[in-house]
Amino acid sequence: MQTPENQELNDDELFEHHRVIASKGQEPLRVDKFLMNFIEYATRNKIQQSAKSGHIWVNGTIVKQNYKVKPNDEVKVLFEHPPHEFLLVPEDIPIDVVYEDDVLLVVNKPAGMVVHPGHGNYTGTLINALLHHVKDLPTNSNERPGLVHRIDKDTSGLLVVAKTEAAMTHLAKQFFDKTSEREYVALVWGNVKDEEGTIEGHIARNPKNRLQMHVFPDGDEGKEAVTHYSVIERLGYVTLVSCKLETGRTHQIRVHMKYIGHTLFNDERYGGDKILKGTTFTKYKQFVDNAFKILPRQALHAKTLGFVHPVTGETMRFDSEIPQDMVECIEKWRHYSHHSS
């Protein structure tokens, strides 16, 4: 009988849920702490339980939770069942369909809805809803049905979904070639200096916090990312801006705006859920806390989406209303800046 200490990896019986290669500069670090930096929504207790059950492997061998990860180690989390994101179940969840024909549909996703299943979110996602709405969605290169692009859980707004393989290929090429139009509206901390500008800087995972992305201006890591922004309205300690994406990297607007010193309002992951600009008065702190309650998420909405129809060749352009939570928060700041100026 094989024990956890001598058992060798048998890929036929186990399914890989996570795989991380430690960097060349990795300092010795317990594997449970190491995985905490990579697995979203995981608790240390859950990771330790996985280790005790023999589900954590390093370089092909099961390790205990106190194993010290070294440079270039290959760390895997394996279970006897396939990842939940591959067990896609149609769910009768209402979706706001803005447009639909035989080859595609455009949906307006509410804030709080995860786009596709993943660790910690296996049901209630947009994909679960789409599978109920449309039969036989094509899968993209990541085995995710219908998705041409995605937006974060707490970002609201427009997404195009492909219903055929040909539409998927055609639309994906437009996004890759940067010919699609994607405009977001964001409320950011601080008075943005220039009326408009372009932010360029490669984006990759933050080596110190793997749940964040990070800008590498020298381009030595990550993928090229370009965001064009313009000021819509100045509201004292915050600014309402339009952001047009040339590329579509994970957290692109959130990390690019932080990079130029204007973190999104109430963006918890990037520190925008703290008072970053303004006075030290208690009344102001209460005002901001109330604004956070009105808008309990990052202030970001995918407002406009444009692309060429894969079949007709027609230019399609869709616009969406800014959701009520953002509207109320903007109104609150508008009132505050008007009365404090």
Side-chain angles (χ1 to χ4, degrees):
M1 180 179 171
Q2 290 184 313
T3 63
E5 285 75 12
N6 65 15
Q7 187 178 350
E8 289 300 314
L9 185 57
N10 185 343
D11 284 324
D12 295 334
E13 297 171 6
L14 295 169
F15 295 90
E16 182 181 302
H17 284 236
H18 303 282
R19 175 170 46 175
V20 186
I21 307 289
S23 67
K24 290 178 183 175
Q26 176 66 48
E27 298 285 328
L29 182 66
R30 282 175 58 118
V31 72
D32 52 355
K33 286 187 176 180
F34 176 80
L35 285 170
M36 280 286 291
N37 292 325
F38 292 88
I39 304 177
E40 199 168 3
Y41 307 116
T43 64
R44 185 139 176 229
N45 183 51
K46 277 189 178 177
I47 291 173
Q48 288 176 341
Q49 287 301 321
S50 295
K52 285 175 183 172
S53 302
H55 294 303
I56 297 179
W57 305 66
V58 176
N59 304 326
T61 304
I62 290 178
V63 297
K64 294 180 178 176
Q65 68 220 41
N66 61 357
Y67 172 86
K68 295 285 180 68
V69 176
K70 302 184 292 298
N72 301 316
D73 272 354
E74 181 186 59
V75 183
K76 288 185 178 184
V77 181
L78 300 114
F79 292 104
E80 291 84 3
H81 59 85
H84 289 274
E85 53 262 44
F86 294 115
L87 305 175
L88 296 168
V89 179
E91 294 178 53
D92 188 2
I93 302 166
I95 47 176
D96 182 3
V97 178
V98 176
Y99 171 85
E100 183 172 12
D101 61 27
D102 290 343
V103 301
L104 62 85
L105 70 156
V106 175
V107 298
N108 189 11
K109 185 189 84 67
M113 179 182 249
V114 176
V115 171
H116 58 79
H119 187 81
N121 295 283
Y122 302 125
T123 60
T125 74
L126 180 63
I127 289 290
N128 295 111
L130 287 169
L131 289 170
H132 183 270
H133 184 81
V134 182
K135 303 299 177 234
D136 301 321
L137 281 171
T139 54
N140 64 16
S141 58
N142 293 318
E143 300 296 320
R144 286 167 181 160
L147 290 190
V148 179
H149 62 127
R150 64 191 183 100
I151 54 180
D152 297 329
K153 173 187 174 183
D154 288 326
T155 300
S156 53
L158 298 174
L159 278 165
V160 61
V161 177
K163 292 168 73 173
T164 68
E165 294 280 359
M168 173 81 75
T169 303
H170 197 287
L171 289 165
K173 188 174 189 309
Q174 291 182 55
F175 279 75
F176 181 79
D177 292 342
K178 306 173 187 174
T179 57
S180 60
E181 179 190 354
R182 283 170 290 170
E183 182 199 6
Y184 290 68
V185 173
L187 187 68
V188 302
W189 278 107
N191 187 5
V192 177
K193 184 176 139 191
D194 299 319
E195 284 298 315
E196 58 183 43
T198 297
I199 309 164
E200 297 183 70
H202 281 50
I203 291 176
R205 292 244 167 237
N206 185 337
K208 293 179 181 174
N209 181 348
R210 303 296 297 189
L211 300 183
Q212 289 184 355
M213 304 305 284
H214 187 73
V215 175
F216 294 86
D218 297 333
D220 50 345
E221 284 191 51
K223 293 179 179 177
E224 176 200 20
V226 181
T227 305
H228 306 284
Y229 69 88
S230 59
V231 171
I232 298 172
E233 188 176 358
R234 298 180 186 277
L235 300 167
Y237 298 125
V238 296
T239 307
L240 190 65
V241 294
S242 160
C243 295
K244 291 187 176 177
L245 292 183
E246 196 171 303
T247 54
R249 309 302 176 205
T250 302
H251 297 179
Q252 179 169 320
I253 292 171
R254 299 165 68 184
V255 71
H256 262 177
M257 293 310 296
K258 176 172 182 167
Y259 176 63
I260 64 165
H262 296 288
T263 304
L264 266 63
F265 184 77
N266 211 7
D267 189 347
E268 181 183 5
R269 185 163 298 188
Y270 291 95
D273 60 337
K274 298 175 180 63
I275 296 176
L276 299 182
K277 297 288 177 183
T279 72
T280 55
F281 296 130
T282 307
K283 262 190 171 180
Y284 175 70
K285 182 181 184 304
Q286 187 60 56
F287 163 80
V288 175
D289 284 344
N290 288 337
F292 284 154
K293 285 173 188 168
I294 288 169
L295 183 70
R297 63 177 179 101
Q298 68 257 13
L300 187 61
H301 175 67
K303 190 174 191 304
T304 306
L305 179 64
F307 53 85
V308 173
H309 194 281
V311 175
T312 66
E314 178 190 355
T315 298
M316 314 280 287
R317 191 172 188 275
F318 301 91
D319 191 65
S320 60
E321 296 290 325
I322 296 173
Q324 193 59 31
D325 57 355
M326 266 186 82
V327 168
E328 288 181 21
C329 185
I330 292 162
E331 272 298 326
K332 194 170 177 66
W333 275 105
R334 192 176 283 136
H335 183 79
Y336 181 88
S337 64
H338 177 74
H339 286 278
S340 59
S341 58

